Amino acid sequence: MTERLRIALQKKGRLADDSFALLKKCGLRFAIRGGGLLARVKNMPIDLLLVRDDDIPSFVANNAADIGIVGENVLVEEQLTAKTKLDAEITMRLGFSRCKLSLAAADMGDIKKPTDLNGTRIATTYPGVLGKYLKDKNIDATAVEMKGAVELAPSIGIAESICDLVSSGATLEANGLTAFETILKSEAVLIQSGRDLSEDKQALLAKLMSRIDGVIKSAETKYIMLNAPKDKVAAITQLLPGSDAPTIIPLAGSDDLVALQAVCTENIFWETLEDLKALGARAILVLPIEKMMS
Ligand code: PRT
Ligand code: ZN
C-alpha cells in the first residue's frame, strides 16, 4: 500500500480558502465538509489534516503531519515560544496572505517611534516576536498578552500601543491608530520538519512543490501576441518584461509586418501596452497562462 502524504492546513479562517484553492490548482481533488479533521484527496495518496493555524507548526514538528501551510508569523511565533526547539522550517514561500506585524499607537499620541516605547505597555497576541524585537532593540517596555481584539487595548486603557497584524490598515484607521514600525513581514509558507520522508512521500512532495511553483509562476506570467513592423522588433522585445527570445512569425500578405509572441514573466501594465503601440505594435493581446512547467 502506498503511504499517504499528510498536509496540515487551517480548517477555517483567512488562510484556509487560499490554501484549498492552491492545492486544487495543483490538481488535487477533494471536498471539505463540516467538522471532519481529515479530508482525503481522491486522486493522489494525500490526506489533509484540518486544524487551527496555531497548531500547524507543532503538528509538523511532532510528525502528526508531514508538511503544513501556515502564516510565517505563526511559524516564527511558535518557534520563539516553544519550550524545546521546534522542528519546523520553511520549505517554500507561497505568496498569499501577505501581511505585516506592526507596532501602532494613537494617531495623536506621544508614541511616534520605537524608542518612545520605553516605560510603556504594548498589547499583542505575539509575545514571542515582540519580546525578541524589544530585546534586540534594547527597548524596555512591557508586553501585555491578549487573545484577540488587540486594536481596542489603547482605548480601554490596557496599553499605550499595540503590536498586531496589518494588511489593508483599515482596522488601525477605524481605531484611531497609526503604524510606526514593521517588525515582521509575513506570507503563507509551506513548512516541513528536518525528518527524512520515505522515498514515496519524498517523490510526491517533489511533484507537489513543482506544481505549486508552476501555479505561482503562471499567476504572474502572461502570453503576449502582437503584430509589429519588422524594423521595430528589437525595440519592442526590449519593452516586454521578463521575456526570453520571442517567436517571430511572418504575416501572410505583408512584407514589413510580422507577428510576435512571447511569454512575459512579469505583469504587463497598460503603460507598457501604450509604449508598444507608440512603437507601431498593433492587435496587441495579453493572455493569461493557466499552467506552466519548466
Ligand atoms: O482559528 P484559527 O486559529 O485557525 O485562525 P486565527 O483566527 O488565528 O487566524 P486568521 O484566520 O484570522 O488568520 C490566519 C492568518 O492569516 C494569519 O496568521 C496571517 O498569517 C494571515 N493574515 C493576513 C492575517 C491578516 N492578513 C490580517 N489582517 N491575519 C489576521 N489579520 C487581522 C489582524 O489581526 C487585524 O485584526 O486583520 C485585522 C487587520 O486587517 P486590516 O486589513 O484591517 O489591516
Ligand atoms: Zn490562530
Side-chain angles (χ1 to χ4, degrees), residues 72-82 125-130:
E72 193 175 354
N73 51 304
V74 171
L75 174 71
V76 175
E77 180 65 19
E78 296 295 315
Q79 283 170 333
L80 290 170
T81 52
T125 51
Y126 291 85
V129 183
L130 176 61

Side-chain angles (χ1 to χ4, degrees), residues 22 24 31 50 74 93 105 128 130 135 138 143 152 163 176 243 264 268:
L22 173 67
K24 288 198 163 156
L50 306 168
V74 171
R93 301 188 160 272
L130 176 61
K135 193 163 168 250
N138 233 337
L152 301 179
C163 168
S243 75
C264 296
I268 300 172

Side-chain angles (χ1 to χ4, degrees), residues 37-278:
L37 187 66
L38 268 187
R40 210 177 156 82
V41 174
K42 296 180 189 113
N43 57 335
M44 288 168 118
I46 298 178
D47 287 329
L48 309 179
L49 180 69
L50 306 168
V51 293
R52 290 199 56 174
D53 66 348
D54 317 70
D55 290 331
I56 293 174
S58 61
F59 281 175
V60 168
N62 300 330
N63 210 9
D66 298 304
I67 56 172
I69 295 180
V70 70
E72 193 175 354
N73 51 304
V74 171
L75 174 71
V76 175
E77 180 65 19
E78 296 295 315
Q79 283 170 333
L80 290 170
T81 52
K83 292 197 182 66
T84 53
K85 192 182 169 334
L86 190 81
D87 182 11
E89 298 290 339
I90 298 176
T91 310
M92 195 174 189
R93 301 188 160 272
L94 302 175
F96 63 86
S97 272
R98 285 184 196 276
C99 56
K100 295 183 209 165
L101 186 64
S102 298
L103 290 163
D107 299 338
M108 305 297 173
D110 300 333
I111 300 177
K112 305 251 177 264
K113 56 184 187 304
T115 48
D116 297 338
L117 294 167
N118 278 304
T120 68
R121 298 164 300 171
I122 311 166
T124 191
T125 51
Y126 291 85
V129 183
L130 176 61
K132 180 173 187 305
Y133 170 84
L134 295 175
K135 193 163 168 250
D136 290 351
K137 299 271 170 182
N138 233 337
I139 296 170
D140 179 20
T142 309
V144 178
E145 192 176 345
M146 293 177 71
K147 294 289 171 205
V150 169
E151 65 279 2
L152 301 179
S155 62
I156 55 177
I158 294 175
E160 286 68 46
S161 64
I162 69 167
C163 168
D164 197 13
L165 294 178
V166 182
S167 50
S168 68
T171 305
L172 290 185
E173 200 182 318
N175 288 279
L177 302 168
T178 303
F180 57 89
E181 172 92 333
T182 297
I183 70 175
L184 180 80
K185 281 191 183 155
S186 177
E187 65 186 277
V189 290
L190 189 73
I191 60 168
Q192 196 182 352
S193 81
R195 277 186 315 278
D196 282 337
L197 294 177
S198 69
E199 227 169 88
D200 281 355
K201 283 188 180 178
Q202 191 54 52
L204 190 55
L205 177 58
K207 183 193 257 190
L208 181 64
M209 285 174 57
S210 146
R211 290 189 185 184
I212 291 177
D213 190 53
V215 170
I216 294 173
K217 283 204 184 113
S218 64
E220 292 161 5
T221 305
K222 299 281 177 281
Y223 198 77
I224 186 163
M225 300 165 72
L226 54 85
N227 294 342
K230 255 186 201 160
D231 60 341
K232 291 290 190 302
V233 165
I236 283 175
T237 308
Q238 289 264 313
L239 279 183
L240 299 176
S243 75
D244 285 341
T247 307
I248 313 284
I249 310 162
L251 276 181
S254 169
D255 285 339
D256 50 349
L257 276 182
V258 291
L260 182 151
Q261 303 181 0
V263 173
C264 296
T265 54
E266 291 160 37
N267 235 328
I268 300 172
F269 297 102
W270 281 109
E271 288 74 11
T272 312
L273 299 190
E274 285 152 7
D275 292 347
L276 289 170
K277 195 171 168 195

